[in-house]
Amino acid sequence: MGTYAIAVLAGDGIGPEVTEEAVRVLGAVARRYGHVFNTIEALVGVAAIDAEGDAISDATMELCQESDAILFGAVGGAPRYEGPNAKIQPERALFRLRKELALYANLRPIRPFDALLNASTLKTDILRGTDLLVVRELTGGIYYGKPSEIRETAEGLDAIDTLIYTEAEIERIVRTAFDLARERRKKVTSVDKANVLSSSRLWRRTADRVAGEYPDVTLEHLLVDSCAMHLIRRPASFDVIVTENMFGDILTDEASMLAGSMGMLPSASLGTRRTEFGLFGLYEPIHGSAPDIAGQEKANPIAAILSLALMLRFSFNLKQEADAVEKAVKGIVEAGYRTEDLREEGKVIVGTKEMGRLIAEAVAG
Ligand code: NAD
């Protein structure tokens, strides 16, 4: 039994809808296991720009620094803050949190439920047995490199982005992947574009060097284009995939279809800071604010609820509780309940709140 402080940043669009359900499930965990979770809500994204003048305020950053973990929904989706001329982008909230809290390792587990194999666009026999973990570098690479701008030149406009990685940045994320692989099936696939990019050549060299310290783990290298193909050709052959920021961003959206829907995939963003309970981290579904379905009770809250399970496991070391949440999700899906994104003949379609309620009830036992 413990008292845990959680900053809850629900954000925009379906962010608050799915986060509310994750908090409902957290309440069920608290009641069943006797823990105290102090949740403190704050604004991020469009909501924060409108009310506080920035995508995330200094006060909210401070709240996050002082918490044991962060539960994050999604940000963005308001046309007035999008496009090249927007002064403050809602996504700045996430970029600031990741950078200032040094959350460099983004873990995205992908393990399709057997009951949902038919929901994927892939054939069941290709999918069966898939259980992979993407470890994406989150605080470096082309999303952070400077310069990054559109410029006026004598020949007209041009644009530049900078892809830069230090050896130390590569080494720490590759190490994270090898450490995680040791607790799984002991295989790491390092993804790069070493045939073209210098940053990828340093990435590959570093991965080879680190691999020398893990003789019990197999290392395979794949070019990112080839990995995109193998992910849908032989997904069950992967164990841990480690890759740089932008490649990981794109590959995990592709991989989300293995699980049937974006609404099924959780993520954990971790650094090295420890609290008295475990690793400090930020937990969020991989999907965005989905403005096309916001406010319609159509959002699948499972990605947010499974993100909560990751929080219980990594930040609070509450393994039994994390297992109970994951088991509850599996049970409800096996019982035939689906949200709209997983609509299937003969299944019971429920709204966001009802799905959250069913899972919370199953956790409560
Ligand atoms: P999105 O992930 O919001 O939606 C993509 C598609 O998947 C949509 O059709 C949506 O309806 C569906 N979808 C997503 N989550 C779902 C869920 N839980 N249940 C059911 N269906 C779901 O991506 P997008 O439409 O490209 O982006 C919308 C906004 O979100 C943009 O402003 C984007 O910048 C932002 N975004 C934010 C994050 C984040 O906060 N981490 C991540 C990605 C995109």
Side-chain angles (χ1 to χ4, degrees), residues 12-18 74 76-77 261-264 287-303 339-342 350-353:
D12 309 313
I14 64 167
E17 299 171 34
V18 297
S261 162
M262 296 265 276
M264 294 298 295
H287 60 74
S289 57
D292 54 334
I293 57 165
Q296 299 169 36
E297 270 294 292
K298 283 187 182 161
N300 184 347
I302 290 180
T339 39
E340 194 62 49
D341 51 316
L342 293 167
V350 295
T352 310
K353 281 194 167 54

Side-chain angles (χ1 to χ4, degrees), residues 12 46 49 75-91 289 291:
D12 309 313
V46 174
I49 300 175
V75 289
R80 65 186 181 285
Y81 294 125
E82 255 150 42
N85 299 323
K87 260 214 202 91
I88 311 173
Q89 262 127 4
E91 283 75 9
S289 57

Side-chain angles (χ1 to χ4, degrees), residues 301-318:
I302 290 180
I305 292 167
L306 291 176
S307 300
L308 171 72
L310 294 180
M311 175 189 289
L312 296 171
R313 179 167 292 121
F314 288 116
S315 282
F316 302 154
N317 266 317
L318 298 174

Side-chain angles (χ1 to χ4, degrees), residues 338-356:
R338 304 279 187 275
T339 39
E340 194 62 49
D341 51 316
L342 293 167
R343 179 174 277 282
E344 222 186 310
E345 190 83 8
K347 304 297 177 197
V348 188
I349 303 300
V350 295
T352 310
K353 281 194 167 54
E354 181 61 4
M355 182 57 96

